[in-house]
Amino acid sequence: MSNFAPAFKILNPSMMLPEIAMQYSMATGAFDLLPGGKPEAKIGSNDLLVYQKTLRMTNQVQASQSLPNQVASSSVVPGYTQMQTYRIATRSQYGLFDDEAASNWGYSLVNALQLSARQGIAQLLRTMLLYGLKPSNGEGITNTAGATTVSLAADSGGQTTYPAWDSGELARFLLGHIADLKTRMLMLGQPALITITAPQRFNSAISYTGIVELTSYQRPGAGTDTAGNIVDKVAKDAAGDEIIFTMDDTLIGKGAGGTDLIIISAVVLNVPASDSSINTNIFASLTPNQRAVNQMFCDVAAPTEVSTPIPDGGLTTLYTMRATPGWNLRAEGVTLLSAAYS
């Protein structure tokens, strides 16, 4: 009997539907926290560490009616940070008759094992992105040193859980923290791409059930718009911001005291162009400039597959890749919001 497709018996006459009711898992939106929505495939397969160079500038400028004997000077100080990489691996193995037995069930065993391995690696990459493998090393976006941490306390009616919060107040609360994040990044007034990653039930509360009352939102859509709609519209009207709401249910219980965790993050740093020679941010125009707020690197876009014959005529296939955990490069660009569901 096959390990992947056991024998079965059916009553005849009968009909067997050709479609298979597949197991379904959540397709995470957490990778939208990264530029391009995925890790960058740019490290080598044997690279053990990734280094990020940094450059800091200080300057002293004097003003006097005549040139002094000793003129103040500027200084530029380089440095670097680092993140280690991990070898990720899993394998599939099947015998000579396993694939034939699986065909009796109407599916390709080879394809099923390949997709299963890829999903397992993708789920581990998601864990590495959000939580890292060694949190004490600052791995994972949720372990960002210096990130702003806030909690959803109580609304004006004393409600402390986000499904019960007044929807208008919840919209203003989120908009306030988006504005605070942009202010910390010195980007207020400039268009920005902001990602809000939360459990499904948080997005449900602000996008489906959280209709804003007429008394709290006197703009087009009052009485019909949700808190999520208002956040999107107001941010777009204010500065042309694009707000992306994404979901990942592993954030349930990851907030302070076992509450749900919501990650609010800018995706990239905007450096405004200026035609003027008088620019108080002109140092940021020096290139090459790493503009990402969060990063993650891997050696290949999809796992490498290495197949080897085994004695009984089957195959064992190794699926492997190397990747860094999620890596925050600009702590001011991340807000970690803890909010209670019940």
Side-chain angles (χ1 to χ4, degrees):
M1 181 181 292
S2 167
N3 292 325
F4 301 99
F8 63 92
K9 61 181 180 179
I10 60 175
L11 179 68
N12 193 36
S14 62
M15 174 189 173
M16 178 70 75
L17 294 172
E19 299 83 9
I20 303 174
M22 297 292 180
Q23 174 185 332
Y24 198 79
S25 301
M26 183 179 187
T28 181
F31 288 97
D32 282 323
L33 291 163
L34 303 173
K38 60 184 177 181
E40 288 192 32
K42 63 192 309 181
I43 64 174
S45 61
N46 292 318
D47 291 340
L48 301 180
L49 284 169
V50 178
Y51 294 95
Q52 173 64 63
K53 292 181 288 186
T54 62
L55 202 58
R56 298 288 182 265
M57 175 273 295
T58 59
N59 60 59
Q60 295 177 325
V61 182
Q62 294 171 278
S64 60
Q65 289 189 315
S66 59
L67 189 66
N69 292 330
Q70 186 173 355
V71 180
S73 63
S74 299
S75 62
V76 176
V77 181
Y80 66 88
T81 60
Q82 65 186 46
M83 180 63 69
Q84 74 180 69
T85 69
Y86 294 91
R87 169 62 62 186
I88 302 168
T90 187
R91 72 168 184 166
S92 65
Q93 183 172 311
Y94 61 93
L96 176 62
F97 301 108
D98 289 332
D99 192 33
E100 182 178 328
S103 67
N104 294 327
W105 283 78
Y107 73 93
S108 166
L109 179 61
V110 175
N111 194 27
L113 291 175
Q114 179 192 56
L115 295 176
S116 175
R118 288 191 175 190
Q119 179 165 315
I121 289 176
Q123 289 172 334
L124 178 57
L125 287 172
R126 182 263 312 277
T127 297
M128 292 170 63
L129 169 70
L130 294 177
Y131 314 110
L133 298 180
K134 296 179 181 177
S136 59
N137 290 346
E139 297 177 2
I141 295 172
T142 61
N143 298 310
T144 297
T148 298
T149 57
V150 294
S151 295
L152 188 70
D155 66 2
S156 60
Q159 300 293 337
T160 57
T161 62
Y162 60 77
W165 252 61
D166 178 85
S167 297
E169 293 184 32
L170 184 56
R172 291 195 296 273
F173 179 87
L174 293 174
L175 284 165
H177 283 291
I178 291 171
D180 289 345
L181 183 151
K182 293 186 65 179
T183 301
R184 294 195 303 268
M185 297 194 71
L186 310 178
M187 287 168 47
L188 199 65
Q190 304 173 44
L193 176 60
I194 306 292
T195 298
I196 300 177
T197 304
Q200 289 184 97
R201 61 193 190 184
F202 180 81
N203 281 279
S204 174
I206 66 171
S207 300
Y208 285 88
T209 60
I211 303 297
V212 176
E213 299 296 335
L214 285 165
T215 55
S216 62
Y217 181 64
Q218 295 302 316
R219 294 191 182 188
T224 59
D225 269 349
T226 62
N229 293 143
I230 293 172
V231 170
D232 184 59
K233 289 180 179 180
V234 172
K236 186 174 295 182
D237 291 344
D241 296 334
E242 181 182 358
I243 310 297
I244 299 177
F245 293 93
T246 64
M247 290 165 276
D248 190 279
D249 277 355
T250 67
L251 293 168
I252 293 174
K254 294 299 194 299
T259 57
D260 292 352
L261 183 64
I262 294 94
I263 304 172
I264 306 173
S265 178
V267 178
V268 294
L269 172 70
N270 287 345
V271 180
S274 175
D275 296 329
S276 173
S277 61
I278 302 176
N279 182 352
T280 57
N281 189 37
I282 197 169
F283 185 77
S285 65
L286 185 66
T287 58
N289 187 356
Q290 171 64 271
R291 297 172 57 237
V293 174
N294 306 301
Q295 265 294 14
M296 187 175 187
F297 300 101
C298 57
D299 62 339
V300 287
T304 300
E305 301 178 16
V306 182
S307 296
T308 306
I310 55 177
D312 64 353
L315 282 176
T316 179
T317 302
L318 172 70
Y319 302 86
T320 183
M321 65 188 304
R322 183 175 287 277
T324 67
W327 185 8
N328 175 263
L329 303 177
R330 301 182 186 275
E332 64 273 16
V334 173
T335 297
L336 302 177
L337 168 63
S338 297
Y341 175 71
S342 61

